[in-house]
Amino acid sequence: MSSEKVYDPEKGSKSNLDVEVAVHDDRVVDGATEDPHMHRALKGRHVSMIAIAGTIGTGLFLGSGKAIANGGPVGAVLGYLIVGVLVGMMMYCLGEMMVHDPSAGGFIEFSSRYVDPALGFAMGWQFWFQTAMTAPVEVVAASIVIQYWDKANNHLAIYVTVMLLGMVAINLAGVKYFGEFEFWFAFIKIITVVGLCIMCLVVDLGGAPDRDRRGFRYWRDSPFNNDYLDIVPASKARFLGFWAVLTQAAFSYGGMEGLASICLEAENPRKTMRTAVRAIFYRIVLLYIVSLWLAGMCISPDDPNLLQANAEGGGTGAQSPFVVVIRTSGIKVLDHIVNAVVLTSAFSSGNEFLYSSSRALFMLAQEGQAPRIFAKVLPNGVPIVALAFTSLFSLLAYLNCGAGGAEEAFNWLANITTLGSMLTWCGIAFTHIRFYRGMKAQGVSRDILPFKSFLMPWGAYCVLCSFIVIIFFSGWTTLKPWSASDFFSTYINIPFMALLYVGWKIVKKTKLVSLTEMDVTSHYVEGSVVRSKLH
C-alpha cells in the first residue's frame, strides 16, 4: 500500500492526516483518459439540488394527504419526523463511506467490500429492481395527474409515451444535461413547497377568502385518528393509524439512497457529496415536516373532500392536501398550478429513478455481478446498454392503460417495491457498522475520514433496528381481513432479497469479510474518473 494525504475539500489542499490509498484500481484512471469512462460533469449546485428535491414526487404532494387522513395532523407530523430522523442518520452512514471513497460503486460495492460479496449482489439487484419499477410508477402518476384536466382514459397511453420518450432522451443526452434538467425542476419543487407553506400559513391565520381563522383547531380537536379502519378501542385505532403513517413516510422518503449513484459522476466528489449529504437535513425539515405541519393545521383529517379523494385514489391532484386546502378555503386557480407542479415533479422523479437504476446496473456489471456488457459506456459517459435494458421495464407503465386485470397487475407490481427502500436502508446501516468495526479492528482512526458524524456507530444501530421493526409490522392490515395477494406483494421483497443473497453465496462460495482483512482504504485519487471495465 502507498500512502497519500487526505484531501481537504474546504481548503482545496492536503491535510496533515494520513490515509492509505490502494496501490492500483484498474477502474480509477486519470481524468484525461481517452478510454470510455464516467464523466464527472455534475457540479456542486446540481448535486445539492438533487439531494434536496431530486426524488420528490407524488409521495409528498399526494401521499401526505393519506398520511393526514390515517394518522391525524399530529400523527402525520410525528410519523414523518421519526422516519425522517432515521433516514437522515442512514444518509450520514452512507455519506461517511461515499466521501471516504467516491470512486466506489456506492453501497453496492461497500456492502461487498465490508460485509460479503453476496450482500452486495443482493442489495444491488434489489435496488435496481426497486428503482426500475418506481420509474414507470411515477410515469403513470404523471399521466394520470393530467386527467385533472383531460378526463379521457383513451388518452393515457399518449401521455405515457410522451413521458417515457422524454425521460429516455434526457438520460441519453449525458449526465451534464441530466443534472441541469434536474436542477431546474428541483428549483421549481422547492419554490412550490415554500409557496405552499406560506399559503397554508395565510389560510390558517384567516387570510383566505373564507376568512376562517383555524389556528391549532384541528391539532386540538383531532390530533390523531380515533376511527382508523373502525378499530376499537380508540387508543388502538390511534396507534395503528400512526403506525400506518410510518410506512407512508418511508415511501415518501424513498430514493434518497440513490444519491450514491451520483458519486461516480460528481465534480470534486468529496466536497460536493459532503455538502449534498448535509443538505438532506433541509429536505427533511423544510420540504416534509414544515409543509405537512402547516397543511395539517388547515385541514381536518375528517374533511369529506380529503377522505373521498383518498378513497377514490387515482393519483390526481384532488387527493393532495394542499389542493383540498385551496378548494375549501375558496382560493381560485391555484389548485391548477399545484397540479401542474405535481405533474412536473412526478416526471422529474421518474427521470431520476431511471438514472439511478441504469447506474446501479452499471455498478453491478463493474463488480462482475451482472453481464459485463452492461458496463459499456458511450463517449458522453452514458452506460448505454444498462440504460436501454432498464428503459424496457418502464414500458410496464402501459399496463395501467389497459382494462381490469392489466391495471391490477401493474398496481400489484408497484406495491412490491414499497419495502424496497427500507431493506436497502437496513443494508446500508449494517454495512456502515461493519465499516466502523473494521477500522477499529485494524487500528485505523476515524479522524482520517473527510466526513464523519458524531452519531456513529449508534445511529447506524438505531437505523437498522428501527427499520427492521417497521418492515416486520408494515403489512398488518393484510391480516384482517386476510388478503393473500396484498400480503404477498407487501413482503415479497424479503424472500426475494434472501434468495439473491443465498443463491450468490452458494454459487460463488463467498464468505463474510474478516474485520482484520477488510479493505478500508480509499481508492479515490483527486482528478480521477471511473473507467468502464468492459473496454
Side-chain angles (χ1 to χ4, degrees), residues 450-473:
F451 171 73
K452 62 179 180 178
S453 170
F454 70 92
L455 296 170
M456 302 304 153
W458 306 113
Y461 283 107
C462 183
V463 170
L464 179 61
C465 295
S466 298
F467 280 121
I468 286 176
V469 173
I470 295 174
I471 288 171
F472 185 80
F473 291 104

Side-chain angles (χ1 to χ4, degrees), residues 63-113:
S64 54
K66 188 175 183 179
I68 293 174
N70 287 340
V74 176
V77 171
L78 285 178
Y80 271 71
L81 179 61
I82 291 172
V83 176
V85 169
L86 292 173
V87 170
M89 288 193 291
M90 179 277 300
M91 287 303 299
Y92 272 89
C93 291
L94 183 58
E96 284 193 1
M97 297 184 289
M98 281 195 307
V99 177
H100 175 57
D101 189 0
S103 64
F107 53 81
I108 297 174
E109 181 174 340
F110 292 140
S111 53
S112 294
R113 191 191 299 178

Side-chain angles (χ1 to χ4, degrees), residues 129-377:
F129 176 74
Q130 167 202 329
T131 50
M133 282 304 307
T134 307
V137 169
E138 292 290 349
V139 169
V140 168
S143 62
I144 294 179
V145 162
I146 299 177
Q147 289 190 308
Y148 193 75
W149 302 289
D150 183 359
K151 307 294 184 182
N153 287 328
N154 58 343
H155 292 171
L156 272 179
I158 298 174
Y159 300 135
V160 167
T161 301
V162 172
M163 300 287 177
L164 289 178
L165 290 176
M167 284 167 41
V168 173
I170 292 169
N171 275 270
L172 275 175
V175 70
K176 176 183 177 181
Y177 298 100
F178 167 83
E180 202 64 36
F181 175 88
E182 286 297 324
F183 172 84
W184 288 108
F185 272 84
F187 180 76
I188 292 173
K189 295 178 194 178
I190 293 171
I191 292 298
T192 301
V193 172
V194 172
L196 289 174
C197 288
I198 295 173
M199 182 271 295
C200 287
L201 188 60
V202 171
V203 170
D204 184 68
L205 296 176
D210 64 356
R211 301 299 178 189
D212 180 14
R213 193 181 191 284
R214 295 162 173 81
F216 282 89
R217 178 194 308 163
Y218 303 125
W219 280 53
R220 181 185 65 250
D221 296 343
S222 50
F224 295 92
N225 188 350
N226 294 328
D227 305 311
Y228 181 66
L229 297 181
D230 297 322
I231 295 173
V232 290
S235 58
K236 186 176 181 180
R238 286 193 294 269
F239 175 75
L240 294 177
F242 162 73
W243 193 266
V245 174
L246 298 180
T247 305
Q248 176 64 41
F251 172 76
S252 297
Y253 289 125
M256 284 193 182
E257 68 281 6
L259 191 64
S261 305
I262 296 175
C263 251
L264 302 181
E265 299 174 279
E267 185 181 81
N268 193 2
R270 281 194 166 151
K271 180 179 180 180
T272 54
M273 298 312 295
R274 183 167 74 168
T275 302
V277 171
R278 287 174 173 169
I280 295 293
F281 170 79
Y282 302 107
R283 173 176 177 175
I284 293 172
V285 173
L286 175 62
L287 300 188
Y288 285 95
I289 307 303
V290 174
S291 59
L292 198 60
W293 181 326
L294 292 171
M297 291 172 63
C298 298
I299 184 174
S300 168
D302 301 319
D303 187 293
N305 296 289
L306 182 66
L307 296 177
Q308 180 182 358
N310 281 284
E312 294 175 352
T316 68
Q319 72 185 90
S320 169
F322 304 105
V323 171
V324 174
V325 170
I326 291 168
R327 285 180 166 182
T328 56
S329 60
I331 302 175
K332 305 295 183 183
V333 182
L334 193 56
D335 56 326
H336 293 280
I337 298 175
V338 171
N339 211 48
V341 173
V342 173
L343 170 62
T344 59
S345 297
F347 175 74
S348 168
S349 180
N351 185 53
E352 184 164 340
F353 280 117
L354 179 61
Y355 169 87
S356 295
S357 55
S358 64
R359 268 49 179 187
L361 195 53
F362 169 82
M363 293 173 190
L364 285 165
Q366 289 281 88
E367 288 291 294
Q369 296 172 335
R372 191 71 80 186
I373 188 64
F374 290 127
K376 182 177 177 59
V377 174

